[in-house]
Amino acid sequence: QVQLVESGGGLVQAGGSLRLSCVASGRTFSGYGMGWFRQAPGKEREFVAGMSSRGNTYYVDSVKGRFTISRDNAKNTVYLQMNSLKPEDTAVYYCAADRRITTYVEVRTTVYVYWGQGTQVTVSS
C-alpha cells in the first residue's frame, strides 16, 4: 500500500512558477513509476509528466520546455517544477504511482493504482 500526499499548489500570475511535491509512504518508493496528472473543471483528467522507476521521463506536448519532473528516492518524493505558467495550466494536479512502470512512462490514468488527493493550481492572466 502506498499513500501519496501532494503539496505546493497555489495562485500564481501568468509567467510565474510553482513547484509541486508528492511524498509517498512506504519503503520501496524507488521501484515505482510516478506520474503527474491534472484535471480542469468540466474536463477529463489528463497526463502531464511522468518518470519511470529507471528514470525515463515523458511530457505532454503542452508542457514540454516549461515543466520538469524529478524525484528524490531518499526523500520518497517526486517533484513537478512548473515554469512559465499559463492560465490554461489551471487545474487540480494529482500525482500517481504504480510499480509496473519501470522503463516506459505510462500516460493512461487507468494504469496507475495509487493516487494522491490533489493540489489546486490557479494561474491568473
Side-chain angles (χ1 to χ4, degrees), residues 7-12 18 20 82 85 90-91 119-124:
S7 62
L11 173 64
V12 64
L18 284 173
L20 305 183
M82 305 186 296
L85 282 161
T90 295
T119 185
Q120 176 71 47
V121 171
T122 303
V123 184
S124 63

Side-chain angles (χ1 to χ4, degrees), residues 13-118:
Q13 288 188 333
S17 298
L18 284 173
R19 188 177 79 157
L20 305 183
S21 299
C22 173
V23 180
S25 65
R27 286 180 265 180
T28 59
F29 173 75
S30 62
Y32 283 77
M34 304 298 296
W36 284 99
F37 293 77
R38 65 187 179 188
Q39 188 167 18
K43 294 188 176 182
E44 292 186 354
R45 192 170 298 188
E46 65 172 357
F47 172 84
V48 176
M51 179 178 281
S52 69
S53 61
R54 294 176 182 173
N56 295 315
T57 60
Y58 184 74
Y59 301 87
V60 69
D61 285 347
S62 60
V63 308
K64 284 181 180 177
R66 300 189 298 123
F67 291 10
T68 303
I69 187 171
S70 62
R71 65 193 297 164
D72 184 338
N73 290 333
K75 296 183 177 179
N76 280 16
T77 302
V78 64
Y79 303 97
L80 185 67
Q81 178 67 43
M82 305 186 296
N83 299 328
S84 302
L85 282 161
K86 303 176 181 180
E88 51 263 44
D89 294 319
T90 295
V92 177
Y93 282 71
Y94 300 88
C95 72
D98 194 280
R99 65 184 305 164
R100 295 167 295 178
I101 302 170
T102 57
T103 301
Y104 300 106
V105 176
E106 178 59 59
V107 304
R108 294 173 293 174
T109 58
T110 52
V111 171
Y112 291 81
V113 173
Y114 302 105
W115 290 84
Q117 83 290 348

